[in-house]
Amino acid sequence: MTTLRPLHLALAIGLAAVWGVNFVVMQVGLEHFPPLLYAGLRFAMAAFPALLLVGRPAVRWRWIAAVAATLGAGQFALLLVGMRAGMPAGLTSLVLQMQVLFTILFAVTLLGERLTARRVTGLAAAFGGLALVAADFGGSGPIGAFALCVAAAAAWGLGNVAQRRAAPPDSLRFMVWVSALSSPPLLLLSLWLEGVPNLAAPLEGWLSLLYVAFVSTLGGFGVWGFLLRRYDASTVAPYTLLVPVFGMSTAALFTGEPLTWLRVAAAVLIVTGVLYAGTRRRTPEPPAREPGRTALAK
């Protein structure tokens, strides 16, 4: 497995912290905005006025549209509706990391990557952890909210594969255009399903939007694309396992979300399974050939 360079490793850990805190920030924002409007405003703020400064995208439009539909509008529509329906921030940060497994599955089916026995074992363990989350949350919360967050993880995994294929040379420019294409369908859906928007939100609601638009979306996905362009998806994706560490700890600290033993066991299964699936078994190097001997001399 390719190892991240020290600077890139620091970027990956910092990104996990930004995305982990993001769940509590989004929960605050959803107290003041309906979910589809919140998602649409998030991408609109990330796109404008940056769209006027970055120039035309350097990749084909079909890839921008594919990432906008999956990693942009699809993921966040499902995620925010699920959170608004009752999925707590810390648990959401854990469930969403199933995107690593969906990334591997989609990479196997769409990119032709090999599904080894090691990956199958890791996937099975991680999905066992997901079953524990369902059992724990199903007794106290709406299972539909949980299912929406799983679907959001699948959309993220599909978006990872699309972004890997796009290989944008400028991650920030690419994310600006993805945000621009993600915002209109979300705002139209909001108008259709949520009614005429009410933008009279308090300061904390707008601060939440600023964080998710500029820090989490532009900054976060800019770094994410930067890493995906330099390393395999299966190398980068496991570092997002630090996201629930930050997400669950900040949720417990700031919102009082309980951290049960069943959730801890689920987290251990998911993290262990994904790490096992995302790494390769080291094979011993062949012994050095003795000086002066060739294969014909044996």
Side-chain angles (χ1 to χ4, degrees), residues 15-36:
L15 177 60
V18 166
W19 280 349
V21 174
N22 192 53
F23 290 92
V24 174
V25 175
M26 288 191 297
Q27 187 166 291
V28 171
L30 289 173
E31 295 175 0
H32 307 290
F33 296 98
L36 295 176

Side-chain angles (χ1 to χ4, degrees), residues 26-260:
M26 288 191 297
Q27 187 166 291
V28 171
L30 289 173
E31 295 175 0
H32 307 290
F33 296 98
L36 295 176
L37 176 62
Y38 184 82
L41 290 175
R42 167 191 189 145
F43 287 114
M45 293 172 67
F48 303 100
L51 195 66
L52 305 175
L53 305 175
V54 298
R56 292 177 59 83
V59 300
R60 293 182 178 180
W61 285 106
R62 65 180 182 180
W63 292 119
I64 297 175
V67 176
T70 52
L71 192 141
Q75 179 202 170
F76 284 100
L78 294 165
L79 173 66
L80 294 172
V81 171
M83 292 182 69
R84 186 65 175 263
M87 194 71 176
L91 197 58
T92 301
S93 71
L94 175 62
V95 171
L96 198 61
Q97 297 324 301
M98 295 299 291
Q99 60 87 10
V100 178
L101 304 182
F102 286 115
T103 298
I104 293 174
L105 290 175
F106 287 128
V108 168
T109 56
L110 300 177
L111 301 183
E113 293 187 9
R114 193 162 59 96
L115 187 60
T116 62
R118 185 183 186 90
R119 285 186 169 183
V120 171
T121 303
L123 290 171
F127 277 112
L130 190 64
L132 286 182
V133 174
D136 178 58
F137 186 67
S140 58
I143 195 66
F146 169 79
L148 285 169
C149 289
V150 174
W156 188 354
L158 190 57
N160 285 341
V161 173
Q163 188 166 349
R164 175 69 178 168
R165 287 294 301 272
D170 186 333
S171 301
L172 179 61
R173 180 189 303 182
F174 181 75
M175 197 60 218
V176 167
W177 281 98
V178 166
S179 298
L181 267 65
S182 299
S183 180
L186 286 167
L187 292 176
L188 288 174
L189 278 174
S190 173
L191 185 62
W192 179 33
L193 300 174
E194 298 169 343
V196 178
N198 179 11
L199 302 180
L203 179 61
E204 66 177 15
W206 288 104
L207 288 176
S208 169
L209 271 172
L210 288 173
Y211 180 92
V212 298
F214 296 109
V215 180
S216 176
T217 301
L218 280 185
F221 281 102
V223 170
W224 181 250
F226 173 84
L227 293 173
L228 281 177
R229 189 158 51 90
R230 285 160 176 78
Y231 302 93
D232 291 340
S234 58
T235 298
V236 178
Y239 286 93
T240 61
L241 293 173
L242 291 173
V243 171
V245 174
F246 292 103
M248 297 178 79
S249 59
T250 53
L253 182 62
F254 293 106
T255 70
E257 183 181 328
L259 191 60
T260 66

